[in-house]
Structures are given as C-alpha cells and as structure tokens.
Amino acid sequence: MLIVLLLALAFGRSRHVLLVLVALPSALLGGVAAVAVTGDTLSLGAMVGFVALFGMAARNTILLISHYDHLVAVEDGRGDWRRRRAARRSGSRRYCSRHR
C-alpha cells in the first residue's frame, strides 16, 4: 500500500499508477511461464528472482511513463496524434538501444 501511495504522490495521476500496477501481473505471468517451460520448481532462488523481476518491471514502466510525460510536455501534447506519437517515441527509445 505504501508503494501505491508513493507512486500516486510521484505521478499525481491515478492512471499512471494503474499502468505501473498492471505491469506487475504481466511480469508474474512471464516468470511463471519461464519456470514452467524450464521444468524447475519454485525454489527460494526462483522467489528471489521474482522479486527482482517485479522491481525491474516496475522500474521500466515508471521510466517509460516519465519519458512519455516528458515528450508530451516538450512537444506541447495537445491533440490525440501528438500523444500517440509521444507514446511511440517513448517506447522505441526506451526499449530499442539504437535510438539512444
């Protein structure tokens, strides 16, 4: 609950907090699928890996949202097409190393 409060204070918008929280179940599904595919059991090491996975998923989502907000502010994000363009640019710059 404290993390949700801190995210709400940092972003100031509940929509951004919900986006961060949606990323965590997606990371859980990917982690469980990886454990199932490899045939491993859920050991202590795997649980530590899940904690690290949740941290990385939350961090990446926070950075993506922050970069999107920055692009919208810089490009004067009025209009739907500018917001879509900012979303595409923030995603491509955050996840593709060739755009850095």
Side-chain angles (χ1 to χ4, degrees):
M1 199 64 180
L2 178 65
I3 293 173
V4 174
L5 179 65
L6 290 174
L7 286 172
L9 289 173
F11 286 129
R13 295 182 186 161
S14 61
R15 173 185 247 179
H16 293 335
V17 175
L18 288 175
L19 285 172
V20 173
L21 294 178
V22 165
L24 297 180
S26 302
L28 176 66
L29 288 174
V32 168
V35 169
V37 166
T38 59
D40 288 337
T41 60
L42 193 62
S43 63
L44 181 62
M47 287 184 218
V48 171
F50 275 109
V51 171
L53 178 65
F54 288 159
M56 287 185 286
R59 177 183 173 267
N60 283 336
T61 307
I62 289 168
L63 289 174
L64 185 66
I65 291 170
S66 296
H67 190 61
Y68 168 79
D69 283 342
H70 170 74
L71 288 177
V72 167
V74 167
E75 294 181 359
D76 192 26
R78 285 177 272 152
D80 193 39
W81 68 272
R82 289 184 180 163
R83 290 185 185 274
R84 287 183 187 159
R85 189 169 128 201
R88 268 188 266 123
R89 285 183 59 200
S90 65
S92 68
R93 287 187 180 179
R94 180 71 193 125
Y95 292 121
C96 297
S97 61
R98 68 174 187 244
H99 293 290
R100 290 181 190 211

